[in-house]
Amino acid sequence: MLTNLWYVAEWSKVVKDKPVRAKLLGQNFVLFRDKSGKVHCLSDVCIHRGGSLSNGWTTERNCVACPYHGWEFDAEGKVQFIPSRGEDAPIPERARIDAYPTEERYGMIWVFLGDLPEEERYPIPDFPEYEDKKNWRAVDVEYNWNGTVDRVVENGIDIGHTAFVHPGFGYPEMADKNKIVKVDKGEYWGSSDNVLYPPQLQGNLGLMKFFRKDKAATHVTPAFYLPGHCVRLHIKVNSWMEIIIFDANTPVDENTTRSFAVQVRNFFKWPIFDGGSRKRTSKVFGEDGAIVEALSPNYLPETLESEVSVEQDKFMGAWRQIRRRHIEEKGWKIDTKAMKPFEGEKVFTIPSPARRTNPHLKWALDTVPLVAPIREAAPVPEEAPKKEVSPEVS
Ligand code: FES
Ligand SMILES: [Fe+2]
């Protein structure tokens, strides 16, 4: 699991006037809205006696109150009021917890879990079609995986499995026809163009089957982004029908992933067709979930030597390479093994930007240990040149 990235913590519609708990990167956080409607994210551990703020309430001071002794924490994680000391009593400097930047986009609450200053953060991936309500109709779908997020992202961008895992997407006998045409990648993202030969379409009151012939060449463009561990799958159904599935994949902990997905379509935009869109997207997640849950090892192997790869795995290789670079060069991987001996005894927290901007501050909790980088960062071009896929096999 990686720090220093934006992740989706919850759907916007879930966080109303009460604090809500969200678990990401193995840690608990509290989300709450202030009176202006702005959402905030704090560590869910009260530094008084360890109360869970998400079981508390929001207050007149625009704070979240701990349910144990009522201490109130503001949007920056600072204690503003200690009831047992009364109004105007001084607040100890260490009476603060980590607070994380938040954004609301695409109906989701994004939180930046790390201490990087704003200008160094990778952006939340673009999803302009979500905002373009005139031309696209959106439905949201959630899926929870018994699987590690790295495997989930890899599955989302894997073209080869579609012929076997998704009957609506491919035929086993067409496995050698499905091709990666092109791979592009940058510092924190990758994209690939593919041609697949799926079956005739189903659904939408039987109308869909008229719009694409069986085994017609279909362009599919999967992309991944390190921020949000997002996958964007763009399917050009035919010359005028397109579907995009945009999902942010949140590592709840090492073995559990929560996918916040939005599917948009530029056809049949009436609400009557929403149920079918949602159902078909959920079905695809379920088909993938059964496979990912049973993978061995559960984690993504850190080296390629323990697996055998072929041409169709090329794009997954780009994902692994970019992810690995952020572990080995930037040192963003949480060292969960180093925390294991302290389980139940000690609480760690993800470092927030305030720890870096105010190094003199004293904090009650230690930050999560990180796996030390093993090499200097190599310079990465702004945008890597477009590359045709070579047929080499590793
Ligand atoms: S534990 Fe939170 S106020 Fe005491
Ligand atoms: Fe899949």
Side-chain angles (χ1 to χ4, degrees), residues 155 161 166 284 288:
N155 166 268
H161 82 287
H166 303 302
V284 170
D288 285 325

Side-chain angles (χ1 to χ4, degrees), residues 331-350:
W332 287 2
K333 185 176 177 176
I334 299 172
D335 193 349
T336 41
K337 286 198 196 102
M339 288 192 280
K340 288 246 155 74
F342 300 100
E343 232 162 50
E345 286 174 17
K346 182 173 166 157
V347 178
F348 295 91
T349 182
I350 306 286

Side-chain angles (χ1 to χ4, degrees), residues 8 29 48 60-61 63 90 154 175 234 238 328 332 346 389:
V8 172
F29 300 88
H48 177 221
E60 275 306 303
R61 290 181 182 80
C63 288
E154 182 162 280
H234 192 154
N238 58 28
E328 295 178 355
W332 287 2
K346 182 173 166 157
V389 174

Side-chain angles (χ1 to χ4, degrees), residues 24-278:
L24 297 91
L25 303 179
Q27 312 291 322
N28 286 329
F29 300 88
V30 56
L31 305 168
F32 69 100
R33 285 189 193 278
D34 64 23
K35 279 184 242 153
S36 73
K38 163 99 178 116
V39 75
H40 304 288
C41 176
L42 308 178
S43 159
D44 195 31
V45 181
C46 174
I47 36 66
H48 177 221
R49 289 295 181 268
S52 170
L53 301 178
S54 55
N55 290 328
W57 58 91
T58 51
T59 75
E60 275 306 303
R61 290 181 182 80
N62 264 339
C63 288
V64 59
C66 176
Y68 203 178
H69 311 92
W71 290 25
E72 294 189 21
F73 296 79
D74 69 13
E76 290 175 45
K78 287 190 213 147
V79 173
Q80 290 297 344
F81 181 49
I82 299 178
S84 65
R85 308 190 82 194
E87 298 280 359
D88 304 324
I91 307 283
E93 199 201 346
R94 283 172 78 243
R96 69 181 293 159
I97 53 177
D98 288 274
Y100 305 90
T102 61
E103 291 268 347
E104 287 192 71
R105 291 227 205 129
Y106 325 135
M108 306 165 188
I109 296 170
W110 296 74
V111 296
F112 184 82
L113 295 185
D115 59 357
L116 286 188
E118 196 171 350
E119 61 280 7
E120 289 177 33
R121 294 173 204 155
Y122 296 149
I124 293 170
D126 285 335
F127 184 20
E129 296 82 359
Y130 181 84
E131 319 292 348
D132 182 3
K133 308 281 183 215
K134 190 164 158 277
N135 294 308
W136 298 85
R137 173 81 186 173
V139 293
D140 53 40
V141 174
E142 183 175 325
Y143 189 77
N144 291 283
W145 309 70
N146 289 321
T148 186
V149 74
D150 310 316
R151 289 283 201 190
V152 168
V153 172
E154 182 162 280
N155 166 268
I157 60 170
D158 174 12
I159 286 306
H161 82 287
T162 53
F164 293 89
V165 177
H166 303 302
F169 239 120
Y171 292 104
E173 68 269 24
M174 298 299 278
D176 64 331
K177 306 286 182 304
N178 296 337
K179 285 275 183 305
I180 301 180
V181 182
K182 198 176 67 180
V183 170
D184 296 332
K185 56 186 175 180
E187 190 180 354
Y188 55 83
W189 61 272
S191 166
S192 87
D193 290 342
N194 305 267
V195 181
L196 306 184
Y197 298 87
Q200 204 167 28
L201 294 163
Q202 305 284 325
N204 285 350
L205 314 176
L207 291 169
M208 293 293 272
K209 64 174 181 288
F210 297 110
F211 297 115
R212 189 180 62 203
K213 288 203 209 87
D214 190 30
K215 296 180 184 166
T218 302
H219 288 268
V220 178
T221 307
F224 67 81
Y225 304 84
L226 216 45
H229 281 19
C230 291
V231 172
R232 179 191 158 99
L233 187 67
H234 192 154
I235 305 160
K236 297 203 169 97
V237 177
N238 58 28
S239 60
W240 61 278
M241 296 164 81
E242 298 179 36
I243 295 171
I244 299 167
I245 302 170
F246 176 98
D247 47 271
N249 300 292
T250 296
V252 173
D253 56 34
E254 279 193 298
N255 306 305
T256 320
T257 302
R258 189 173 172 200
S259 292
F260 298 84
V262 173
Q263 190 241 54
V264 292
R265 60 185 193 273
N266 71 344
F267 54 91
F268 298 158
K269 286 175 281 188
W270 305 282
I272 188 177
F273 294 109
D274 288 353
S277 291
R278 206 173 268 124

Side-chain angles (χ1 to χ4, degrees), residues 8-29:
V8 172
E10 191 47 271
W11 297 105
S12 285
K13 62 189 174 194
V14 173
V15 182
K16 296 181 183 136
D17 53 348
K18 291 195 172 50
V20 170
R21 180 183 297 163
K23 189 174 178 190
L24 297 91
L25 303 179
Q27 312 291 322
N28 286 329
F29 300 88

